[in-house]
Amino acid sequence: MNSVKKGTIGFNRRVVSKGKRSTLSAKQQNISESTHSLITNAVAKRVARLNSSEWIQVVPRNKSWVVRKNGAQRAIGIFPDKSTALSTAKRLKSKSALARIIIYDVNGQVSQILS
Amino acid sequence: MPFETNIFINCPFDDDYKPIQKALIFTVMYLGFEPLLSTTISSGHIRIQQIIKHIKASKFSIHDISRCAAKKKGELGRFNMPYELGIDIGCMQFGTRLQKMKLCLVLEEKEHRYDQFISDISGQDIKTHQNNPEKAIERVLEWLDAATDDNIPSLGNVWNAYIDFIGKLEIGLKAEDYSDGEIKNLQHPKFIKLAKAHLATI
C-alpha cells in the first residue's frame, strides 16, 4: 500500500496526491528524476570550457537576420530574411573550419543546429 | 552575498516565460550581480519565508507582473508576483535604514494593463517588455544604468553574450546526453550554476 517501486535510476521516491500516498511508476520516476537531475559542477565546467569559436549563429533581430561567429564583436552580415542569412552561413561553413550553424528563434532560444 | 550586489527576481516559473526568465538571470549575472529567486526545497518548506529572506537581503529587485491575468475564461488571476512586490515595497517603507535604499524595477507586458488589476501601483515606474526577452534585457540595462554608477554595457553586447551562452548550453548539454525537453525546461538553479561556470571563462 505505501510501498514505493524502485526506479531504474536506483532510488525511491514518494509522492502525495489527494490525501494518500501514491506510487510513481518506474517509467514516470525515471522521466521525472531525469528532468530534475542535478547538473553537477563538473558538467557545468565541461559545458563552460567548450570551444565555441567555430560555431556560426543565425539570429533574428530587429526584423532582420544576423549572421555572426560565436563570441565575435561584430556581425558577418545582416539580412532581410532567414533564407539569405542561412545560405550565407552555409557558404561560410563550407569555406572555413566552422563546425556548426546554430539557428535561433525570436526569443533567443536555439531552434535548430546544423552540423 | 552582499546586499549591494543581490538582485531579487520575482517572476513566473511557467515554461512559456522561461526565455524572459533566463534573459533576466543571465543579464544580472553578466553585470556582476547575484540573482536570488525562490526555490522549493521540500514540500515542508515555507516558500514565502525564503522570499522574505531574499527581499531583505537584496538592494535591487525585479518584479515581473506580466503573468497575473487568467489564461483562460473562468480561471482566476495569479497574484503571487504582486503579493511579493507588495512585500518588497513594504520592506522599503518600513525596513532598516539600509533597506530604505532598496530599488525596484517593475516589468509588465503592455503599458497601463496593470491599471485594470492593481491600480494603486500607478505612479511607480513600470516598464514594458512586450513579452520579448531582448526588450526585458534592455529595460534592466536602462534601470541599472540610472540606479548605479556602474559602467553598463550596451544592449548589443549583452544580447550577443546571452546568445553565445544559450548556444553553448544547447550544444554542451546535448553532449552530456540531456534531451531537448530537459534543456528547454532547465530549472533556474541549474541555469544559474551553468551561467556562473560560463561567465568564469569569459
Side-chain angles (χ1 to χ4, degrees), chain A residues 31 33-52 55 57 59-62 68-74 100 102 104-110 113, chain B residues 18-19 22 131-135 155-157 159-176 178-179 181-182 185-187 190-191 193-194 197-199 201:
Chain A
I31 292 166
E33 290 304 334
S34 165
T35 304
H36 298 287
S37 64
L38 284 175
I39 288 176
T40 63
N41 288 328
V43 170
K45 278 182 188 164
R46 277 202 297 275
V47 173
R49 283 185 198 137
L50 277 180
N51 178 11
S52 56
W55 304 343
Q57 307 167 350
V59 189
R61 195 166 183 227
N62 300 332
R68 178 178 155 264
K69 262 181 82 173
N70 233 59
Q73 292 285 328
R74 288 171 180 272
R100 285 187 174 100
I102 311 174
Y104 290 77
D105 64 19
V106 284
N107 285 324
Q109 304 304 295
V110 174
I113 297 171
Chain B
K18 280 256 158 66
K22 287 182 195 171
N131 256 343
N132 178 321
E134 190 178 348
K135 290 258 183 261
L155 172 63
N157 178 300
W159 180 250
N160 285 342
Y162 176 62
I163 289 292
D164 288 349
F165 172 60
I166 291 294
K168 187 188 261 190
L169 208 60
E170 186 85 15
I171 290 172
L173 289 179
K174 276 193 176 147
E176 297 283 341
Y178 280 77
S179 68
E182 286 173 302
N185 299 320
L186 207 60
Q187 301 299 304
K190 297 169 193 171
F191 183 82
K193 189 182 275 188
L194 288 156
H198 167 72
L199 290 170
T201 66

Side-chain angles (χ1 to χ4, degrees), chain A residues 2 11 15 22 25 34 38 50 60 80 84 86-87 93 95-96 107 111-112:
Chain A
N2 282 346
F11 63 96
V15 290
S22 67
S25 71
S34 165
L38 284 175
L50 277 180
T84 319
L86 193 54
S87 55
K93 184 176 177 286
K95 276 185 186 170
S96 59
N107 285 324
S111 65
Q112 202 183 354

Side-chain angles (χ1 to χ4, degrees), chain A residues 63-91:
Chain A
K63 295 177 183 170
S64 300
W65 286 79
V66 178
V67 176
R68 178 178 155 264
K69 262 181 82 173
N70 233 59
Q73 292 285 328
R74 288 171 180 272
I76 293 164
I78 300 171
F79 303 90
D81 57 80
K82 184 179 175 181
S83 61
T84 319
L86 193 54
S87 55
T88 304
K90 282 179 178 170
R91 204 165 49 244

Side-chain angles (χ1 to χ4, degrees), chain B residues 3 23 28 37 39 44 49 66-67 104 132 146 156 159 165 182 189 192:
Chain B
F3 178 75
V28 302
L37 289 89
T39 46
Q49 292 303 331
S66 64
R67 298 294 200 276
C104 76
N132 178 321
W159 180 250
F165 172 60
E182 286 173 302
I192 290 172

Side-chain angles (χ1 to χ4, degrees), chain B residues 29-57:
Chain B
M29 291 181 76
Y30 186 71
L31 299 178
F33 292 90
E34 180 85 24
L36 300 181
L37 289 89
S38 71
T39 46
T40 304
I41 295 162
S42 75
S43 53
H45 176 75
I46 303 167
R47 194 168 166 267
I48 197 67
Q49 292 303 331
Q50 190 194 35
I51 288 164
I52 290 169
K53 200 173 153 192
H54 287 342
I55 287 172
K56 282 177 167 175

